[in-house]
PDB file of all heavy atoms in Angstrom:
ATOM      1  N   GLY A 237      69.499 -65.874-138.330  1.00 69.00           N
ATOM      2  CA  GLY A 237      68.685 -66.314-139.456  1.00 69.00           C
ATOM      3  C   GLY A 237      69.091 -65.619-140.725  1.00 69.00           C
ATOM      4  O   GLY A 237      69.728 -64.559-140.695  1.00 69.00           O
ATOM      5  N   ALA A 238      68.714 -66.221-141.820  1.00 64.00           N
ATOM      6  CA  ALA A 238      69.042 -65.651-143.129  1.00 64.00           C
ATOM      7  C   ALA A 238      68.319 -64.320-143.302  1.00 64.00           C
ATOM      8  O   ALA A 238      67.170 -64.159-142.886  1.00 64.00           O
ATOM      9  CB  ALA A 238      68.644 -66.622-144.237  1.00 64.00           C
ATOM     10  N   ARG A 239      69.005 -63.385-143.896  1.00 78.00           N
ATOM     11  CA  ARG A 239      68.428 -62.065-144.147  1.00 78.00           C
ATOM     12  C   ARG A 239      68.125 -61.912-145.630  1.00 78.00           C
ATOM     13  O   ARG A 239      68.962 -62.171-146.477  1.00 78.00           O
ATOM     14  CB  ARG A 239      69.393 -60.947-143.725  1.00 78.00           C
ATOM     15  CG  ARG A 239      69.734 -60.961-142.272  1.00 78.00           C
ATOM     16  CD  ARG A 239      68.593 -60.397-141.422  1.00 78.00           C
ATOM     17  NE  ARG A 239      68.895 -60.629-140.024  1.00 78.00           N
ATOM     18  CZ  ARG A 239      68.286 -61.528-139.270  1.00 78.00           C
ATOM     19  NH1 ARG A 239      67.342 -62.265-139.751  1.00 78.00           N
ATOM     20  NH2 ARG A 239      68.624 -61.694-138.022  1.00 78.00           N
ATOM     21  N   GLU A 240      66.919 -61.470-145.876  1.00 85.00           N
ATOM     22  CA  GLU A 240      66.514 -61.195-147.246  1.00 85.00           C
ATOM     23  C   GLU A 240      66.804 -59.724-147.537  1.00 85.00           C
ATOM     24  O   GLU A 240      67.043 -58.937-146.622  1.00 85.00           O
ATOM     25  CB  GLU A 240      65.015 -61.456-147.389  1.00 85.00           C
ATOM     26  CG  GLU A 240      64.628 -62.877-147.007  1.00 85.00           C
ATOM     27  CD  GLU A 240      63.145 -63.025-146.740  1.00 85.00           C
ATOM     28  OE1 GLU A 240      62.617 -62.293-145.889  1.00 85.00           O
ATOM     29  OE2 GLU A 240      62.538 -63.879-147.393  1.00 85.00           O
ATOM     30  N   LYS A 241      66.741 -59.360-148.790  1.00 92.00           N
ATOM     31  CA  LYS A 241      66.819 -57.942-149.124  1.00 92.00           C
ATOM     32  C   LYS A 241      65.670 -57.246-148.404  1.00 92.00           C
ATOM     33  O   LYS A 241      64.582 -57.821-148.256  1.00 92.00           O
ATOM     34  CB  LYS A 241      66.714 -57.746-150.625  1.00 92.00           C
ATOM     35  CG  LYS A 241      67.929 -58.260-151.352  1.00 92.00           C
ATOM     36  CD  LYS A 241      67.842 -57.965-152.835  1.00 92.00           C
ATOM     37  CE  LYS A 241      69.118 -58.487-153.486  1.00 92.00           C
ATOM     38  NZ  LYS A 241      69.133 -58.238-154.919  1.00 92.00           N
ATOM     39  N   PRO A 242      65.890 -56.017-147.911  1.00 92.00           N
ATOM     40  CA  PRO A 242      64.864 -55.359-147.095  1.00 92.00           C
ATOM     41  C   PRO A 242      63.462 -55.346-147.710  1.00 92.00           C
ATOM     42  O   PRO A 242      62.492 -55.662-147.019  1.00 92.00           O
ATOM     43  CB  PRO A 242      65.417 -53.944-146.910  1.00 92.00           C
ATOM     44  CG  PRO A 242      66.900 -54.144-146.944  1.00 92.00           C
ATOM     45  CD  PRO A 242      67.118 -55.218-147.978  1.00 92.00           C
ATOM     46  N   ALA A 243      63.341 -55.011-148.969  1.00 93.00           N
ATOM     47  CA  ALA A 243      62.011 -54.944-149.591  1.00 93.00           C
ATOM     48  C   ALA A 243      61.345 -56.322-149.601  1.00 93.00           C
ATOM     49  O   ALA A 243      60.140 -56.442-149.352  1.00 93.00           O
ATOM     50  CB  ALA A 243      62.097 -54.379-150.996  1.00 93.00           C
ATOM     51  N   VAL A 244      62.116 -57.360-149.858  1.00 94.00           N
ATOM     52  CA  VAL A 244      61.591 -58.727-149.870  1.00 94.00           C
ATOM     53  C   VAL A 244      61.201 -59.150-148.458  1.00 94.00           C
ATOM     54  O   VAL A 244      60.140 -59.736-148.229  1.00 94.00           O
ATOM     55  CB  VAL A 244      62.613 -59.712-150.485  1.00 94.00           C
ATOM     56  CG1 VAL A 244      62.152 -61.152-150.334  1.00 94.00           C
ATOM     57  CG2 VAL A 244      62.866 -59.368-151.943  1.00 94.00           C
ATOM     58  N   GLY A 245      62.062 -58.844-147.479  1.00 92.00           N
ATOM     59  CA  GLY A 245      61.768 -59.172-146.088  1.00 92.00           C
ATOM     60  C   GLY A 245      60.484 -58.510-145.617  1.00 92.00           C
ATOM     61  O   GLY A 245      59.654 -59.140-144.949  1.00 92.00           O
ATOM     62  N   CYS A 246      60.306 -57.253-145.960  1.00 94.00           N
ATOM     63  CA  CYS A 246      59.107 -56.507-145.574  1.00 94.00           C
ATOM     64  C   CYS A 246      57.867 -57.123-146.220  1.00 94.00           C
ATOM     65  O   CYS A 246      56.853 -57.360-145.550  1.00 94.00           O
ATOM     66  CB  CYS A 246      59.274 -55.039-145.969  1.00 94.00           C
ATOM     67  SG  CYS A 246      57.990 -53.947-145.338  1.00 94.00           S
ATOM     68  N   GLU A 247      57.954 -57.408-147.495  1.00 94.00           N
ATOM     69  CA  GLU A 247      56.830 -58.019-148.219  1.00 94.00           C
ATOM     70  C   GLU A 247      56.469 -59.379-147.614  1.00 94.00           C
ATOM     71  O   GLU A 247      55.296 -59.683-147.397  1.00 94.00           O
ATOM     72  CB  GLU A 247      57.204 -58.171-149.691  1.00 94.00           C
ATOM     73  CG  GLU A 247      56.121 -58.773-150.553  1.00 94.00           C
ATOM     74  CD  GLU A 247      56.578 -58.905-152.000  1.00 94.00           C
ATOM     75  OE1 GLU A 247      57.066 -57.911-152.569  1.00 94.00           O
ATOM     76  OE2 GLU A 247      56.434 -60.014-152.550  1.00 94.00           O
ATOM     77  N   ASN A 248      57.475 -60.190-147.332  1.00 93.00           N
ATOM     78  CA  ASN A 248      57.236 -61.514-146.751  1.00 93.00           C
ATOM     79  C   ASN A 248      56.658 -61.418-145.341  1.00 93.00           C
ATOM     80  O   ASN A 248      55.827 -62.235-144.946  1.00 93.00           O
ATOM     81  CB  ASN A 248      58.515 -62.344-146.750  1.00 93.00           C
ATOM     82  CG  ASN A 248      58.904 -62.801-148.135  1.00 93.00           C
ATOM     83  OD1 ASN A 248      58.082 -62.817-149.060  1.00 93.00           O
ATOM     84  ND2 ASN A 248      60.168 -63.166-148.313  1.00 93.00           N
ATOM     85  N   TRP A 249      57.097 -60.419-144.585  1.00 94.00           N
ATOM     86  CA  TRP A 249      56.596 -60.227-143.235  1.00 94.00           C
ATOM     87  C   TRP A 249      55.088 -59.952-143.275  1.00 94.00           C
ATOM     88  O   TRP A 249      54.322 -60.558-142.515  1.00 94.00           O
ATOM     89  CB  TRP A 249      57.348 -59.079-142.556  1.00 94.00           C
ATOM     90  CG  TRP A 249      56.997 -58.918-141.116  1.00 94.00           C
ATOM     91  CD1 TRP A 249      57.582 -59.543-140.052  1.00 94.00           C
ATOM     92  CD2 TRP A 249      55.960 -58.100-140.574  1.00 94.00           C
ATOM     93  NE1 TRP A 249      56.971 -59.148-138.890  1.00 94.00           N
ATOM     94  CE2 TRP A 249      55.976 -58.267-139.176  1.00 94.00           C
ATOM     95  CE3 TRP A 249      55.029 -57.240-141.138  1.00 94.00           C
ATOM     96  CZ2 TRP A 249      55.086 -57.603-138.333  1.00 94.00           C
ATOM     97  CZ3 TRP A 249      54.147 -56.585-140.305  1.00 94.00           C
ATOM     98  CH2 TRP A 249      54.183 -56.763-138.912  1.00 94.00           C
ATOM     99  N   TYR A 250      54.672 -59.055-144.170  1.00 95.00           N
ATOM    100  CA  TYR A 250      53.243 -58.754-144.280  1.00 95.00           C
ATOM    101  C   TYR A 250      52.463 -59.967-144.766  1.00 95.00           C
ATOM    102  O   TYR A 250      51.374 -60.260-144.256  1.00 95.00           O
ATOM    103  CB  TYR A 250      52.994 -57.535-145.172  1.00 95.00           C
ATOM    104  CG  TYR A 250      53.132 -56.250-144.407  1.00 95.00           C
ATOM    105  CD1 TYR A 250      54.321 -55.535-144.416  1.00 95.00           C
ATOM    106  CD2 TYR A 250      52.093 -55.754-143.633  1.00 95.00           C
ATOM    107  CE1 TYR A 250      54.466 -54.368-143.689  1.00 95.00           C
ATOM    108  CE2 TYR A 250      52.226 -54.589-142.907  1.00 95.00           C
ATOM    109  CZ  TYR A 250      53.411 -53.895-142.941  1.00 95.00           C
ATOM    110  OH  TYR A 250      53.544 -52.744-142.208  1.00 95.00           O
ATOM    111  N   ALA A 251      53.004 -60.710-145.725  1.00 95.00           N
ATOM    112  CA  ALA A 251      52.325 -61.916-146.219  1.00 95.00           C
ATOM    113  C   ALA A 251      52.122 -62.910-145.069  1.00 95.00           C
ATOM    114  O   ALA A 251      51.057 -63.530-144.955  1.00 95.00           O
ATOM    115  CB  ALA A 251      53.130 -62.546-147.353  1.00 95.00           C
ATOM    116  N   LYS A 252      53.128 -63.046-144.215  1.00 94.00           N
ATOM    117  CA  LYS A 252      53.033 -63.960-143.071  1.00 94.00           C
ATOM    118  C   LYS A 252      51.938 -63.497-142.109  1.00 94.00           C
ATOM    119  O   LYS A 252      51.176 -64.323-141.577  1.00 94.00           O
ATOM    120  CB  LYS A 252      54.383 -64.038-142.353  1.00 94.00           C
ATOM    121  CG  LYS A 252      54.412 -65.009-141.207  1.00 94.00           C
ATOM    122  CD  LYS A 252      55.807 -65.092-140.611  1.00 94.00           C
ATOM    123  CE  LYS A 252      55.863 -66.059-139.453  1.00 94.00           C
ATOM    124  NZ  LYS A 252      57.204 -66.153-138.885  1.00 94.00           N
ATOM    125  N   GLN A 253      51.841 -62.211-141.871  1.00 94.00           N
ATOM    126  CA  GLN A 253      50.808 -61.696-140.967  1.00 94.00           C
ATOM    127  C   GLN A 253      49.409 -61.947-141.528  1.00 94.00           C
ATOM    128  O   GLN A 253      48.505 -62.371-140.808  1.00 94.00           O
ATOM    129  CB  GLN A 253      51.013 -60.204-140.685  1.00 94.00           C
ATOM    130  CG  GLN A 253      52.317 -59.855-140.008  1.00 94.00           C
ATOM    131  CD  GLN A 253      52.656 -60.750-138.840  1.00 94.00           C
ATOM    132  OE1 GLN A 253      51.852 -60.957-137.929  1.00 94.00           O
ATOM    133  NE2 GLN A 253      53.848 -61.317-138.864  1.00 94.00           N
ATOM    134  N   PHE A 254      49.233 -61.696-142.818  1.00 95.00           N
ATOM    135  CA  PHE A 254      47.918 -61.926-143.432  1.00 95.00           C
ATOM    136  C   PHE A 254      47.556 -63.409-143.393  1.00 95.00           C
ATOM    137  O   PHE A 254      46.407 -63.772-143.134  1.00 95.00           O
ATOM    138  CB  PHE A 254      47.869 -61.389-144.865  1.00 95.00           C
ATOM    139  CG  PHE A 254      47.920 -59.885-144.934  1.00 95.00           C
ATOM    140  CD1 PHE A 254      48.866 -59.240-145.707  1.00 95.00           C
ATOM    141  CD2 PHE A 254      47.014 -59.106-144.222  1.00 95.00           C
ATOM    142  CE1 PHE A 254      48.917 -57.852-145.773  1.00 95.00           C
ATOM    143  CE2 PHE A 254      47.056 -57.716-144.280  1.00 95.00           C
ATOM    144  CZ  PHE A 254      48.001 -57.092-145.053  1.00 95.00           C
ATOM    145  N   LYS A 255      48.543 -64.276-143.603  1.00 95.00           N
ATOM    146  CA  LYS A 255      48.310 -65.727-143.538  1.00 95.00           C
ATOM    147  C   LYS A 255      47.902 -66.134-142.120  1.00 95.00           C
ATOM    148  O   LYS A 255      46.979 -66.934-141.938  1.00 95.00           O
ATOM    149  CB  LYS A 255      49.564 -66.477-143.977  1.00 95.00           C
ATOM    150  CG  LYS A 255      49.388 -67.980-144.054  1.00 95.00           C
ATOM    151  CD  LYS A 255      50.636 -68.644-144.637  1.00 95.00           C
ATOM    152  CE  LYS A 255      50.347 -70.088-144.950  1.00 95.00           C
ATOM    153  NZ  LYS A 255      50.954 -71.039-144.083  1.00 95.00           N
ATOM    154  N   ARG A 256      48.576 -65.577-141.111  1.00 94.00           N
ATOM    155  CA  ARG A 256      48.222 -65.860-139.724  1.00 94.00           C
ATOM    156  C   ARG A 256      46.753 -65.519-139.465  1.00 94.00           C
ATOM    157  O   ARG A 256      46.030 -66.269-138.803  1.00 94.00           O
ATOM    158  CB  ARG A 256      49.056 -65.002-138.759  1.00 94.00           C
ATOM    159  CG  ARG A 256      50.436 -65.443-138.539  1.00 94.00           C
ATOM    160  CD  ARG A 256      51.106 -64.494-137.507  1.00 94.00           C
ATOM    161  NE  ARG A 256      52.205 -65.189-136.915  1.00 94.00           N
ATOM    162  CZ  ARG A 256      52.095 -66.160-136.020  1.00 94.00           C
ATOM    163  NH1 ARG A 256      50.930 -66.531-135.574  1.00 94.00           N
ATOM    164  NH2 ARG A 256      53.153 -66.766-135.564  1.00 94.00           N
ATOM    165  N   MET A 257      46.345 -64.356-139.955  1.00 92.00           N
ATOM    166  CA  MET A 257      44.977 -63.900-139.712  1.00 92.00           C
ATOM    167  C   MET A 257      43.963 -64.860-140.342  1.00 92.00           C
ATOM    168  O   MET A 257      42.974 -65.228-139.706  1.00 92.00           O
ATOM    169  CB  MET A 257      44.801 -62.490-140.242  1.00 92.00           C
ATOM    170  CG  MET A 257      45.572 -61.460-139.474  1.00 92.00           C
ATOM    171  SD  MET A 257      45.432 -59.860-140.288  1.00 92.00           S
ATOM    172  CE  MET A 257      46.873 -59.053-139.628  1.00 92.00           C
ATOM    173  N   VAL A 258      44.208 -65.261-141.574  1.00 92.00           N
ATOM    174  CA  VAL A 258      43.308 -66.177-142.278  1.00 92.00           C
ATOM    175  C   VAL A 258      43.222 -67.511-141.534  1.00 92.00           C
ATOM    176  O   VAL A 258      42.156 -68.122-141.451  1.00 92.00           O
ATOM    177  CB  VAL A 258      43.783 -66.386-143.735  1.00 92.00           C
ATOM    178  CG1 VAL A 258      43.056 -67.537-144.400  1.00 92.00           C
ATOM    179  CG2 VAL A 258      43.603 -65.102-144.536  1.00 92.00           C
ATOM    180  N   GLU A 259      44.327 -67.947-140.965  1.00 94.00           N
ATOM    181  CA  GLU A 259      44.387 -69.232-140.252  1.00 94.00           C
ATOM    182  C   GLU A 259      43.999 -69.113-138.773  1.00 94.00           C
ATOM    183  O   GLU A 259      44.122 -70.068-138.028  1.00 94.00           O
ATOM    184  CB  GLU A 259      45.793 -69.821-140.374  1.00 94.00           C
ATOM    185  CG  GLU A 259      46.160 -70.193-141.798  1.00 94.00           C
ATOM    186  CD  GLU A 259      47.614 -70.613-141.962  1.00 94.00           C
ATOM    187  OE1 GLU A 259      48.422 -70.430-141.008  1.00 94.00           O
ATOM    188  OE2 GLU A 259      47.944 -71.120-143.041  1.00 94.00           O
TER     189      GLU A 259
END
Side-chain angles (χ1 to χ4, degrees):
R239 299 283 171 253
E240 303 163 304
K241 291 184 179 180
V244 173
C246 189
E247 181 181 309
N248 288 341
W249 186 88
Y250 276 96
K252 183 176 180 179
Q253 299 314 308
F254 291 126
K255 185 174 191 252
R256 283 182 158 286
M257 292 174 202
V258 168
E259 295 173 349

